[in-house]
Amino acid sequence: MKILIVERDMEEIKGIEWYLKNYFMSDIEVIRMMDSSKIIEDFQRIQPDVLLMEMELASSSVEQFLRKQKIPIIGVTAEPIFQQAMKAIRLKAIDLFVKPIPLEQLKSTLLQIPLPKQKTLTSSAFPIETSLYSDLYLNKPDIFTLKGRGFFLIECADYEDNLMLYEWLIELPIFQNLIALPLQKRVICITETDDFPMLLKQLRIMSQEWEKFSGDALNIAVYDGKETTLLKMYRACKKTLTQRFYKGYSHIFRSSQTLYVKRLEPLLTPEEQHLWITSLENGDLKAIKAFLYKLTHPSSYYHQDDVRIHLTSILAQIRRFMMKYHLQQQAKLEEQYRALFHFILEHPILYAIVQEFILFTQLLIEARKNMQQQQIADYTEIAVEMIERNYKNPELTLQVVANELNISANYLSNIFSKKRGIPFRKFMQQHRIQQAEKLLIETNVEIGTVAEMVGFTDSNYFTKVFREYYHLTPYRYRVQVRKTDGNVNP
C-alpha cells in the first residue's frame, strides 16, 4: 500500500511512517509531502493508494483536483472547526482526525481500505491456489518449503462467519502477498515473511481488527515445526486448534505447543452419584459449582470426549431428580434439559458448557423450591378448608388433618404456622369462637348448646376461651351486643 502524507510538520510525518512500518504493516510505502501545490504536479507520477492530508493545506485548486480523483482520503486538522469539517465532507474523506492523530484509530481506518489490485499471486514464490488445494486434498508428498513463508490456520468462533472472514482477509492490507484458502470451517493462510515475531504481531493486530469488524472472536494456529507436506502442516494446526475446548477463543497458538491431556473416568463413581443426589436435594449450588469447576481448572486438561460423557452421566442423576419431583412435566424445564444435552455434545468450549450446566441446575433447584412452596400453600389451604367445614366436630385435631393429607403432624404444624402466621390449634380455636359469636348474636340457643355446636365438649372451657377473645363471658357478650344494637329477643 502506497500512502501519500501531505503535512506541514515533518516530525508528524516521520512519526506516522514509523508507526505504520514498524508496528502496523510490513508491505507499505510512505511518500512525504509538505507542499500541497505539488499534489497536482506529482499525483500521476506517485499514484498513491491512500492520501492522508492536513485539511489546512487543501487550497481551492487542490480541492477541485482531488474531488476528481478516485482515491481514499483521510483528513487531519489542527483546528476542529466547521470549515475544516466541511472541506473534508466535500472531499468525501473517509475519516477526519484532530491532532494529535490517534494512531490506533488511523490503523483501523486504513484496514477498511481494500488492497490495490496490482499484484498477482502466481509468481514463482507462490503456487496458484488450485495447486494448493490439490496438494492439500490429494496429500501430495512434496515438501512444502517454508523459507520466506508463514503458514497459519484461522478459525472463527461462529463457523457461519467463515466466508465473511475469507472475503475480509483478502482485502486486508496487513500481510505481504497473502494467499487465503477457504475451507468449510477454517481458512488456510500462507504469506511472505522472514520475521516470525513480526508475523505473530500482525496476527494479533488482525485478530483485534476482526473482532472490531465482526464482533466475533478468532483462534489462530501458526505452524512452527519442520518443513513437511501441506496436509501435515494443516493437520498439525487443526489439532492445535482443539485447545479451544479448554481455553476458548482470541488465542494465537503455535503448532509446537501441546497440552498434556489426562484421561477422566467418564462415568460417575458411587460417591460422586451420592454427592450429586445430596447436593440437588439440599439445593447446595456451591457444592455443584465446585464439582464442575474442577473440570475447567487450568492445571488439569481432561480428554474432551471423557468430559462430555462425564457430564451426560451427571445429567442422568439430574433426570432422576426431575422424575422424583415430576419436574419433567414443566414444559420449559424439559425443553432446557434436552437443549443442555445437545449443548454438552456439540459446543466447542468447555467453560461455556459448564456455565450452561450450572445455570440449568440453578433453575432446577429453584423450580423444586417453588414447587415445595406451592405444596406448602396447598396443604395449608386444604387444612383451613377442613377446619371451616368440620369445626363442629370435637374430634377434629392437628393429627386428624395431617393424616387426611398424608403428612406428619409436625410438618403440617410448621408449614401452617409459616403460611398463616398462627399455629394450627390457635387458628381452629379462633374460628370456633368466631362461629360461636354469630350464634350468640343471631340465636337464643343456650350457652352450653352453642359450645357444643362449635366443637367444645366442655362449656366451662368454652366460656374461658371466649373471655380471652372478647373479655366478656358469652352471656354478658350476648346481652351487651343486643342492647347496643337494639335487638329484641325473638
Side-chain angles (χ1 to χ4, degrees):
M1 178 181 285
K2 189 183 292 184
I3 302 179
L4 173 59
I5 302 179
V6 183
E7 163 69 54
R8 290 177 292 187
D9 188 343
M10 180 54 68
E11 294 302 316
E12 187 86 22
I13 296 177
K14 289 179 180 179
I16 296 171
E17 183 177 2
W18 177 89
Y19 175 78
L20 296 180
K21 284 188 173 181
N22 292 277
Y23 182 76
F24 177 37
M25 293 177 283
S26 58
D27 185 20
I28 189 169
E29 180 183 355
V30 174
I31 298 95
R32 309 170 182 175
M33 188 176 289
M34 299 179 67
D35 185 355
S36 62
S37 63
K38 292 184 178 181
I39 293 180
I40 300 173
E41 179 183 341
D42 296 339
F43 193 86
Q44 295 304 323
R45 177 180 60 80
I46 297 172
Q47 293 188 340
D49 300 311
V50 181
L51 172 61
L52 179 65
M53 184 171 187
E54 188 174 2
M55 289 293 96
E56 287 80 354
L57 296 179
S59 62
S60 298
S61 57
V62 169
E63 185 181 334
Q64 290 178 7
F65 172 79
L66 291 176
R67 288 168 66 181
K68 298 176 183 178
Q69 309 306 314
K70 295 181 178 180
I71 181 175
I73 297 175
I74 300 173
V76 179
T77 181
E79 302 175 0
I81 57 177
F82 178 75
Q83 288 83 350
Q84 306 303 344
M86 285 302 299
K87 193 179 292 185
I89 291 172
R90 289 196 297 269
L91 289 173
K92 297 182 179 179
I94 59 176
D95 221 328
L96 176 64
F97 297 117
V98 178
K99 292 184 178 182
I101 298 175
L103 296 177
E104 282 291 317
Q105 293 182 33
L106 174 62
K107 174 191 70 177
S108 296
T109 299
L110 288 172
L111 285 173
Q112 305 308 314
I113 300 173
L115 274 172
K117 305 298 183 181
Q118 59 186 30
K119 295 183 180 180
T120 64
L121 299 178
T122 57
S123 65
S124 59
F126 283 86
I128 60 174
E129 294 182 21
T130 53
S131 174
L132 289 173
Y133 275 120
S134 298
D135 292 351
L136 179 66
Y137 288 107
L138 300 179
N139 193 15
K140 188 175 179 180
D142 295 351
I143 299 298
F144 189 87
T145 180
L146 290 173
K147 186 176 181 180
R149 297 175 179 174
F151 181 98
F152 53 96
L153 187 62
I154 309 176
E155 180 180 74
C156 291
D158 186 348
Y159 293 144
E160 293 184 0
D161 289 342
N162 204 51
L163 178 59
M164 181 171 67
L165 171 64
Y166 165 73
E167 293 173 344
W168 180 79
L169 273 173
I170 60 178
E171 299 291 346
L172 192 67
I174 288 183
F175 305 102
Q176 185 170 346
N177 281 348
L178 175 73
I179 286 183
L181 305 178
L183 306 178
Q184 183 178 3
K185 295 182 178 180
R186 300 167 192 90
V187 179
I188 295 174
C189 294
I190 305 168
T191 184
E192 286 185 3
T193 182
D194 290 314
D195 189 341
F196 192 77
M198 175 58 74
L199 175 61
L200 294 178
K201 184 181 291 186
Q202 291 170 328
L203 291 175
R204 282 193 292 271
I205 294 170
M206 181 198 72
S207 180
Q208 293 167 3
E209 293 304 320
W210 169 254
E211 195 160 344
K212 292 178 186 176
F213 172 76
S214 68
D216 195 10
L218 293 174
N219 269 346
I220 305 169
V222 187
Y223 186 79
D224 64 347
K226 295 180 180 180
E227 290 184 347
T228 183
T229 65
L230 190 67
L231 179 59
K232 287 184 178 179
M233 288 194 296
Y234 166 72
R235 285 176 174 170
C237 288
K238 182 180 177 182
K239 182 180 179 181
T240 301
L241 287 176
T242 60
Q243 295 185 49
R244 83 180 81 80
F245 184 70
Y246 312 99
K247 297 186 176 182
Y249 280 91
S250 299
H251 294 286
I252 299 174
F253 302 111
R254 297 189 185 194
S255 63
S256 61
Q257 295 173 329
T258 57
L259 295 178
Y260 174 66
V261 180
K262 299 190 295 186
R263 301 302 304 196
L264 173 70
E265 177 56 45
L267 302 179
L268 295 181
T269 64
E271 293 77 17
E272 289 172 335
Q273 291 179 18
H274 178 73
L275 183 147
W276 270 92
I277 292 170
T278 304
S279 298
L280 289 169
E281 290 288 351
N282 297 335
D284 191 352
L285 193 62
K286 184 177 180 181
I288 290 171
K289 286 182 177 180
F291 184 96
L292 292 172
Y293 281 143
K294 287 181 182 178
L295 300 175
T296 64
H297 198 280
S299 63
S300 299
Y301 298 108
Y302 297 107
H303 194 285
Q304 63 172 293
D305 290 342
D306 292 347
V307 172
R308 294 183 194 276
I309 297 172
H310 195 68
L311 290 171
T312 56
S313 297
I314 298 173
L315 269 188
Q317 301 302 316
I318 287 179
R319 192 62 175 176
R320 290 175 58 188
F321 178 77
M322 292 177 68
M323 298 289 285
K324 179 179 179 180
Y325 294 102
H326 308 291
L327 296 174
Q328 80 283 0
Q329 295 177 5
Q330 298 185 26
K332 188 174 181 180
L333 270 181
E334 178 67 10
E335 181 183 348
Q336 289 172 317
Y337 172 84
R338 295 180 181 276
L340 178 59
F341 177 79
H342 290 289
F343 199 79
I344 291 170
L345 297 181
E346 299 166 3
H347 199 274
I349 310 297
L350 174 58
Y351 186 78
I353 294 173
V354 168
Q355 291 303 308
E356 286 296 316
F357 212 110
I358 291 173
L359 178 61
F360 178 74
T361 309
Q362 187 172 2
L363 291 174
L364 208 59
I365 291 172
E366 288 296 323
R368 192 250 175 139
K369 187 183 297 183
N370 292 337
M371 179 176 286
Q372 286 181 316
Q373 291 175 347
Q374 184 60 45
Q375 286 177 337
I376 290 173
D378 291 345
Y379 286 145
T380 302
E381 294 309 312
I382 292 172
V384 168
E385 289 178 6
M386 290 183 67
I387 291 171
E388 292 174 346
R389 191 169 59 246
N390 302 303
Y391 69 92
K392 298 177 182 179
N393 181 4
E395 302 297 325
L396 184 66
T397 63
L398 174 69
Q399 187 64 58
V400 170
V401 176
N403 291 342
E404 188 72 23
L405 295 176
N406 199 28
I407 58 178
S408 72
N410 285 338
Y411 180 63
L412 176 59
S413 178
N414 288 334
I415 63 175
F416 195 98
S417 296
K418 288 179 182 178
K419 178 67 177 177
R420 284 285 175 164
I422 184 175
F424 175 93
R425 181 173 174 277
K426 192 75 172 176
F427 179 87
M428 185 168 64
Q429 186 183 78
Q430 182 176 286
H431 185 75
R432 283 170 167 167
I433 294 300
Q434 288 173 347
Q435 301 307 312
E437 181 199 17
K438 292 181 182 179
L439 291 172
L440 290 170
I441 296 173
E442 297 172 1
T443 71
N444 287 325
V445 177
E446 293 182 358
I447 304 300
T449 304
V450 169
E452 293 178 2
M453 290 176 68
V454 296
F456 286 89
T457 56
D458 185 339
S459 59
N460 291 330
Y461 179 65
F462 165 69
T463 299
K464 178 183 176 183
V465 173
F466 191 92
R467 182 181 291 173
E468 289 176 0
Y469 281 91
Y470 295 101
H471 307 293
L472 293 170
T473 64
Y475 175 78
R476 294 301 303 168
Y477 183 83
R478 171 184 275 173
V479 171
Q480 184 170 314
V481 171
R482 286 183 174 182
K483 183 178 179 180
T484 303
D485 293 344
N487 291 337
V488 178
N489 292 339

